[in-house]
Amino acid sequence: MINAASLPGVASGAVTPADALAVQALLASRAAGIQIPVAALTAGDDDGDGDDDFLPDMADDDYSAQLSWQSQSKDNLKVLMDNFTPEQYDRYEAYRRNALPKQAVRRVIQQTLGHQVSMPVAQVIAGFGKVFVGEIVEKAREVQQRRGETGPLSPDHLREAYRAYQEETGRVGSARPLRGKKLFVR
């Protein structure tokens, strides 16, 4: 158990807001079962920015593994992009450029749920929405090719793609099980 006298400045009566914040962070981390050494909370900041005072240090091997993985991922993406056809590259660029407007997504979520949601939640939902739209467009292109049609997608292609998506995955936006399977049976 930590006592207040073990923190620097407390015994002399010179408690700063940073010390109070350190005590709060330590107590909260202990309550959550996370062990942060007191020295990590009370040590002076080397560069003065104070951003990482309360974060535990990442082990060197974890850090190097993460850097290695990131480097490998970038290399793999570069190899993939070098082998894109011009049409594939244009589609990839369009995919990277476009996003669902996060404020609009947030507004729809708030209207649906009836309470406020944070911006990170809206970002996650927008990301899932972008993936969903991509899957529907991909299926609509398959429908278009199967019918032997060319040109832009029509609403009919999108409706058929959505119907096929529902057949494959079950009802979209519902907690109901797949058709024909009942969850609770008497």
Side-chain angles (χ1 to χ4, degrees):
M1 184 73 183
I2 183 171
N3 61 17
S6 65
L7 293 174
V10 174
S12 64
V15 178
T16 65
D19 292 332
L21 211 56
V23 171
Q24 288 176 349
L26 181 65
L27 295 176
S29 66
R30 295 275 166 92
I34 302 169
Q35 293 295 322
I36 299 176
V38 175
L41 295 174
T42 59
D45 202 14
D46 293 340
D47 56 359
D49 63 1
D51 291 340
D52 56 352
D53 285 347
F54 303 114
L55 299 176
D57 291 332
M58 184 182 288
D60 288 339
D61 54 340
D62 292 340
Y63 182 71
S64 62
Q66 184 179 11
L67 285 180
S68 172
W69 181 82
Q70 286 174 347
S71 174
Q72 185 67 35
S73 295
K74 286 181 183 179
D75 292 343
N76 290 344
L77 183 61
K78 185 176 179 346
V79 167
L80 182 67
M81 289 179 67
D82 289 343
N83 292 313
F84 275 168
T85 65
E87 181 182 306
Q88 288 174 328
Y89 187 77
D90 290 343
R91 284 195 348 237
Y92 176 75
E93 284 298 316
Y95 166 78
R96 293 286 296 184
R97 267 194 313 270
N98 292 307
L100 296 175
K102 286 160 187 64
Q103 282 296 339
V105 170
R106 185 177 185 198
R107 200 173 319 115
V108 168
I109 295 168
Q110 288 173 350
Q111 289 172 352
T112 304
L113 297 178
H115 60 82
Q116 299 291 322
V117 294
S118 65
M119 206 52 177
V121 170
Q123 275 186 302
V124 169
I125 300 297
F128 282 121
K130 184 176 177 179
V131 171
F132 175 72
V133 168
E135 288 180 11
I136 296 298
V137 168
E138 188 177 326
K139 288 193 179 303
R141 289 233 178 258
E142 290 171 5
V143 168
Q144 185 184 37
Q145 286 177 350
R146 193 172 52 236
R147 293 179 179 175
E149 300 172 358
T150 59
L153 294 175
S154 70
D156 189 43
H157 296 136
L158 295 170
R159 278 191 291 272
E160 178 62 26
Y162 183 68
R163 189 195 60 72
Y165 184 86
Q166 281 184 317
E167 276 185 10
E168 290 175 11
T169 61
R171 294 181 56 111
V172 177
S174 175
R176 297 181 194 146
L178 293 174
R179 289 184 201 129
K181 295 184 179 180
K182 296 187 179 188
L183 190 59
F184 300 107
V185 181
R186 278 189 174 187

